[in-house]
């Protein structure tokens, strides 16, 4: 494919002048160096952090055993880097700008305030028996206590595991059990848009009968009273009053765990992705500096929830480790209307905005006037993450939001990668709408075919793998190292397999084409089809379920469930059954997993050996009526007629 020069967006001259990397040639030179002499490159990046004791060696890598260690022998504490050194240098600088749910309500937390809150909460955790290495579950809405909790854990060497406050009680319980946490931090409730999430009530349901959890610390977000269980539940503000705002920072080994974050895989059970201290922080810090091209007085606005990895790396750790002011947004982009993000940008003078294609699509739908009535003059860079950005959405972001003035960085990465792996450098890389462009320093993408043969040169498509370790990569799946090996290394050893399909065009630019496994990307969030299927099968009426994705205007991928109902339930009206099944998934996993369509059928398409033909279902759910595969392989060819009658998308 020839280069479509019309769609090449050169870095802006005004931006380039102050950029960390100022030309494509400079990027290419640094990139080559980072691959030829990785120890020198990463050693230099590590020196951007404050260490109690510097690393003795840069990396020890063993792909065969999936064993990775970075900055070996180094001792550090994440909070010294994210809090103390800035509280000392610029105590009055805003660390967090909290944009509350109610429009126009803001609170500033300076680095001095942050130090105080983090230390006090660290002391509270200690008083509740939390020691180095213990896991703490954080189930909080987007309130300052969420950031304090992460950092308080890091202060004392505890391992945080944030569970997104949109997840159900069942999901929360599963994560509490898998992590073995004794302490859960939550809030009485979490206002979000016109609604409120009953985080405490959900926590109570999740912990019902679980003796494992001995303390529940409850942040008081609103005056709402909630039932408190004697001996187990404590108001966080009351506990904090009992402690000093000074707590020594634990000396952590570079390879000590920092956090676990659960994400969906291709089986029914979520995976506890584990990140460690030194490598993760160096990687979040380095990528944040280069890709967001940080400047001393930046105000960084990441719209992602801290419950996802984007919030971990680019709302908390990347910005705070560089001393950058970070915005914590409690509400949603469309509440009370589609001007909300731009209002926050103007009120807080945000300079860099990092958001997701799904959010942009929901705003585009409302019309440009919501954007154009705001100023947005403070913005100098725009970023996208979570799924491939449609070229027309990229252009709208660039032309309408950024008025053609701001570079757009489309950043590809995963929960497991800890930070961004493929993205433009805004002052150097010419952008192509829809492409995440070129690899970051030290990252070597490789495309392979189904047999694992390396696809050389440009103009090729295949499975996206990574040829060498990078500091931010996950070290294991908590308690399940064999699953880690199996999922990421077994298939294309010694390569790390991402699960994504990808094209490398004639210019060497990377275009992510989407997941090649049984994982759906719904509104930028990962969802395993197997998870949704298990939730459905747990419903008393369901005999069998097969879940597939289909193209969805707003979500990117929508969820479609094909379900067969047990004979006893066949008299239930379809509409009622469909409603009950959607509610089932919402209750078991959370609202994000609710199927967009539930198709009740009398049989699923299976081969004679009993394997469900998902490809066929995927095509039908996507509106295809041709090339459905060989119907003669079906055990019962008659099911195809019914699928074509009921399964095609409504027009
Ligand atoms: C999957 C990872 C990493 C933060 C958010 C999601 C898809 C992510 C992009 C992008 C195309 C993207 C991939 C990836 N993805 N960013 N810029 N272009 N696809 O994290 O939940 O771990 O999901 O999201 O399919 O594998 P996650």
């Amino acid at each position: 494919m020839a280069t479509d020069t019309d769609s090449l967006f050169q870095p802006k001259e005004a931006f380039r002048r102050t950029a960390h990397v100022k030309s494509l040639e400079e990027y290419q030179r640094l990139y080559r160096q980072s691959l030829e002499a990785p120890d020198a490159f990463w050693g230099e990046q590590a020196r951007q952090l404050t260490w109690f004791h510097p690393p003795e060696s840069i990396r020890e890598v063993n792909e065969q055993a999936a064993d990775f260690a970075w900055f070996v022998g180094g001792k550090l504490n994440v909070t010294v880097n994210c809090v103390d050194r800035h509280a000392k240098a610029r105590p009055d600088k805003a660390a967090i700008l909290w944009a509350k749910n109610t429009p126009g309500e803001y609170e500033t937390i300076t680095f001095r305030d942050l130090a105080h809150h983090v230390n006090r909460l660290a002391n509270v955790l200690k008083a509740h028996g939390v020691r180095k290495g213990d896991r703490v579950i954080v189930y909080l809405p987007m309130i300052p206590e969420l950031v304090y909790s992460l950092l308080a854990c890091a202060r004392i060497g505890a391992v945080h595991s944030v569970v997104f406050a949109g997840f159900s009680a069942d999901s929360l319980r599963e994560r509490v059990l898998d992590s073995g946490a004794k302490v859960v931090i939550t809030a009485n409730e979490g206002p979000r848009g016109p609604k409120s999430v009953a985080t405490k009530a959900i926590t109570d349901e999740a912990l019902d009968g679980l003796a494992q959890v001995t303390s529940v610390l409850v942040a008081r977000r609103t005056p709402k009273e909630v039932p408190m269980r004697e001996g187990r539940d404590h108001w966080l503000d009351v506990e904090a009053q009992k402690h000093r705002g000074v707590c020594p920072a634990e000396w952590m080994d570079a390879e000590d765990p920092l956090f676990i974050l659960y994400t969906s895989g291709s089986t029914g059970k979520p995976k506890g992705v584990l990140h460690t201290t030194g490598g993760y922080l160096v990687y979040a810090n380095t990528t944040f500096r280069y890709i967001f091209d940080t400047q001393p007085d930046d105000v960084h606005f990441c719209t992602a929830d801290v419950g996802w990895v984007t919030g971990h790396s680019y709302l908390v750790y990347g910005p705070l480790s560089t001393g950058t002011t970070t915005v914590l947004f409690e509400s949603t982009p469309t509440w009370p209307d589609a001007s909300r993000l731009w209002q926050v940008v103007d009120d807080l003078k945000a300079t860099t905005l990092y958001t997701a294609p799904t959010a942009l699509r929901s705003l585009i739908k409302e019309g440009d006037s919501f954007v154009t009535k705001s100023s947005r003059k403070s913005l100098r860079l725009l970023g996208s993450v979570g799924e491939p950005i449609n070229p027309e959405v990229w252009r709208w972001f660039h032309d309408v939001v950024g008025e053609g003035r701001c570079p757009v960085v489309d950043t590809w990465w995963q929960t497991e990668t800890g930070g961004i792996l493929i993205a433009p450098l805004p002052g150097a890389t010419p952008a192509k709408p829809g492409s995440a462009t070129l690899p970051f320093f030290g990252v070597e993408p490789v495309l392979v075919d189904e047999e694992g043969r390396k696809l050389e040169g440009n103009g090729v498509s295949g499975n996206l793998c990574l040829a060498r370790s990078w500091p931010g990569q996950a070290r294991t799946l908590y308690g399940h190292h064999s699953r880690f090996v199996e999922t990421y290394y077994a298939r294309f050893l010694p390569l790390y397999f991402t699960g994504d399909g990808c094209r490398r065009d004639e210019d060497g630019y990377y275009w992510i084409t989407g997941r090649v496994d049984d994982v759906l990307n719904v509104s930028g969030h990962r969802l395993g089809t197997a998870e949704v299927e298990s939730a459905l099968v747990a419903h008393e009426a369901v005999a069998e379920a097969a879940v597939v994705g289909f193209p969805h205007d707003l979500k990117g991928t929508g969820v479609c469930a094909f379900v067969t109902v047990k004979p006893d339930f066949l008299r239930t009206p379809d509409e009622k059954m469909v409603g009950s099944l959607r509610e089932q998934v919402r209750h078991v996993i959370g609202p994000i997993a609710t199927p967009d369509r539930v198709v009740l059928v009398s049989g699923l398409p299976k081969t004679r050996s009993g394997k469900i033909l998902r490809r066929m279902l995927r095509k039908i759910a996507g509106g295809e009526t041709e090339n459905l595969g060989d119907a003669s392989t079906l055990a019962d060819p008659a099911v195809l007629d019914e699928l074509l009658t009921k399964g095609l998308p409504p027009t």
Side-chain angles (χ1 to χ4, degrees):
M1 190 188 292
T3 304
D4 175 3
T5 42
D6 289 348
S7 333
L8 214 58
F9 286 73
Q10 294 296 338
K12 330 267 168 214
E13 209 34 59
F15 190 94
R16 199 197 281 256
R17 271 199 297 277
T18 59
H20 293 230
V21 178
K22 295 182 168 61
S23 69
L24 189 60
E25 295 66 41
E26 191 185 348
Y27 157 75
Q28 284 163 339
R29 184 169 48 75
L30 286 167
Y31 178 68
R32 259 195 318 273
Q33 283 174 7
S34 74
L35 293 195
E36 282 162 10
D39 288 10
F41 180 82
W42 289 113
E44 176 59 29
Q45 302 311 318
R47 279 190 287 280
Q48 301 289 320
L49 299 184
T50 302
W51 299 76
F52 296 129
H53 187 282
E56 276 149 18
S57 86
I58 300 297
R59 71 211 151 104
E60 286 168 16
V61 167
N62 176 353
E63 277 96 359
Q64 305 295 324
D67 187 5
F68 307 95
W70 280 82
F71 310 114
V72 181
K75 300 275 184 192
L76 76 166
N77 187 286
V78 162
T79 64
V80 167
N81 286 284
C82 293
V83 186
D84 299 22
R85 57 180 184 162
H86 313 297
K88 194 162 171 223
R90 293 180 71 179
D92 295 315
K93 182 178 180 179
I96 300 171
L97 294 173
W98 184 31
K100 299 198 207 181
N101 190 45
T102 306
E105 282 189 14
Y106 300 100
E107 255 175 47
T108 301
I109 294 118
T110 65
F111 276 101
R112 182 194 288 109
D113 300 335
L114 183 63
H116 178 75
H117 289 295
V118 168
N119 281 286
R120 235 170 38 161
L121 183 49
N123 284 326
V124 172
L125 291 175
K126 276 187 180 173
H128 284 268
V130 179
R131 299 287 173 263
K132 181 174 172 177
D134 289 350
R135 280 78 56 214
V136 172
I137 292 277
V138 179
Y139 186 66
L140 282 172
M142 291 283 278
I143 61 177
E145 286 84 349
L146 174 52
V147 183
Y148 305 159
S149 297
L150 270 58
L151 295 169
C153 288
R155 187 86 181 162
I156 61 173
V159 182
H160 59 73
S161 185
V162 182
V163 178
F164 171 58
F167 273 123
S168 67
D170 285 359
S171 300
L172 176 57
R173 184 185 182 89
E174 195 174 15
R175 286 153 176 77
V176 169
L177 285 170
D178 190 79
S179 68
K182 291 179 296 194
V183 172
V184 175
I185 308 178
T186 188
N188 55 346
E189 62 173 336
R192 195 158 180 271
K195 301 185 197 152
S196 186
V197 184
T199 38
K200 175 63 165 68
I202 296 169
T203 303
D204 288 340
E205 190 188 333
L207 301 183
D208 189 37
L210 263 195
Q212 173 192 317
V213 172
T214 47
S215 296
V216 175
L217 303 170
V218 186
R220 207 186 300 265
R221 169 60 184 93
T222 64
K224 185 189 168 81
E225 286 302 329
V226 289
M228 297 290 277
R229 207 171 105 178
E230 185 71 37
R232 186 195 71 177
D233 301 350
H234 309 268
W235 288 104
L236 199 50
D237 52 0
V238 174
E239 293 303 289
Q241 290 304 326
K242 303 177 187 165
H243 295 278
R244 297 176 60 215
V246 180
C247 172
E250 195 75 32
W251 281 43
M252 302 302 286
D253 193 275
E255 282 301 330
D256 280 334
L258 176 63
F259 67 85
I260 299 168
L261 189 58
Y262 286 86
T263 187
S264 296
S266 44
T267 74
K269 255 184 94 61
K271 313 181 280 197
V273 174
L274 184 128
H275 285 283
T276 57
T277 305
Y280 172 80
L281 195 65
V282 169
Y283 201 71
N285 178 274
T286 308
T287 48
F288 185 68
R289 266 186 288 120
Y290 280 108
I291 297 163
F292 294 90
D293 199 64
T294 50
Q295 303 293 329
D297 289 306
D298 269 341
V299 173
H300 179 64
F301 182 8
C302 167
T303 67
D305 195 286
V306 174
W308 310 111
V309 76
T310 305
H312 281 58
S313 301
Y314 301 111
L315 195 158
V316 179
Y317 292 117
L320 294 180
S321 69
T322 54
T324 303
T325 301
T326 189
V327 175
L328 182 70
F329 178 48
E330 193 183 29
S331 197
T332 80
T334 46
W335 191 78
D337 64 39
S339 68
R340 187 66 194 275
L341 288 186
W342 323 119
Q343 194 59 56
V344 174
V345 165
D346 284 353
D347 288 350
L348 301 181
K349 303 278 178 286
T351 56
T352 50
L353 174 75
Y354 195 30
T355 191
T358 187
L360 295 173
R361 288 192 299 263
S362 70
L363 296 177
I364 290 173
K365 184 166 71 79
E366 305 294 320
D368 293 1
S369 64
F370 286 104
V371 186
T372 52
K373 73 179 184 190
S374 67
S375 156
R376 284 158 289 112
K377 284 287 173 278
S378 57
L379 286 175
R380 55 176 204 86
L381 178 139
L382 304 171
S384 170
V385 62
E387 56 178 314
I389 182 166
N390 330 53
E392 63 279 14
V393 174
W394 194 102
R395 288 200 173 80
W396 184 83
F397 202 21
H398 179 269
D399 297 345
V400 179
V401 175
E403 297 175 330
R405 178 171 40 84
C406 306
V408 171
V409 292
D410 174 5
T411 62
W412 174 85
W413 58 298
Q414 313 179 297
T415 304
E416 296 87 341
T417 69
I420 298 165
L421 296 188
I422 304 180
L425 295 189
T429 316
K432 294 186 190 187
S435 167
T437 76
L438 300 171
F440 188 67
F441 302 132
V443 173
E444 192 188 342
V446 172
L447 301 182
V448 300
D449 66 16
E450 290 303 295
E451 278 72 51
R453 282 182 298 246
K454 190 169 169 180
L455 303 168
E456 306 281 356
N458 290 339
V460 289
S461 294
N463 296 301
L464 177 60
C465 295
L466 299 157
R468 49 171 86 209
S469 179
W470 64 100
Q473 87 168 121
R475 300 299 192 260
T476 193
L477 295 176
Y478 182 71
H480 304 281
H481 195 67
S482 59
R483 191 174 171 201
F484 181 75
V485 176
E486 200 49 47
T487 312
Y488 306 106
Y489 282 94
R491 183 141 176 226
F492 299 121
L493 194 75
L495 306 176
Y496 167 95
F497 178 42
T498 64
D500 279 344
C502 182
R503 177 167 70 89
R504 184 165 54 225
D505 75 10
E506 295 300 344
D507 298 322
Y509 275 47
Y510 290 87
W511 300 74
I512 308 297
T513 50
R515 303 289 307 190
V516 295
D517 51 10
D518 291 322
V519 170
L520 307 180
N521 190 323
V522 179
S523 303
H525 301 310
R526 243 154 87 168
L527 195 61
T529 53
E531 267 176 272
V532 183
E533 287 165 6
S534 347
L536 286 165
V537 174
H539 188 284
E540 55 172 5
V542 174
E544 271 193 307
V547 169
V548 295
F550 67 94
H552 188 286
D553 284 349
L554 287 180
K555 299 179 169 188
T557 305
V559 179
C560 180
F562 291 88
V563 175
T564 59
V565 166
K566 289 179 188 161
D568 285 357
F569 293 85
L570 286 172
R571 280 195 313 276
T572 312
D574 283 5
E575 213 172 299
K576 197 170 161 213
M577 182 57 71
V578 167
S580 160
L581 296 179
R582 296 183 78 226
E583 178 50 35
Q584 165 80 6
V585 177
R586 165 188 281 272
H587 183 78
V588 173
I589 305 177
I592 47 173
T594 313
D596 298 279
R597 294 183 62 212
V598 175
V599 184
L600 302 175
V601 287
S602 53
L604 294 175
K606 290 185 185 169
T607 62
R608 283 185 200 94
S609 60
K611 203 169 150 343
I612 296 174
L613 288 165
R614 283 160 200 286
R615 261 168 70 87
M616 182 179 277
L617 291 175
R618 216 166 11 245
K619 287 192 171 167
I620 291 171
E624 278 184 58
T625 52
E626 316 270 317
N627 304 319
L628 296 175
D630 188 359
S632 68
T633 60
L634 286 175
D636 175 10
V639 299
L640 188 56
D641 287 338
E642 188 192 19
L643 286 171
L644 286 171
T645 318
K646 295 181 172 173
L648 292 170
T651 40

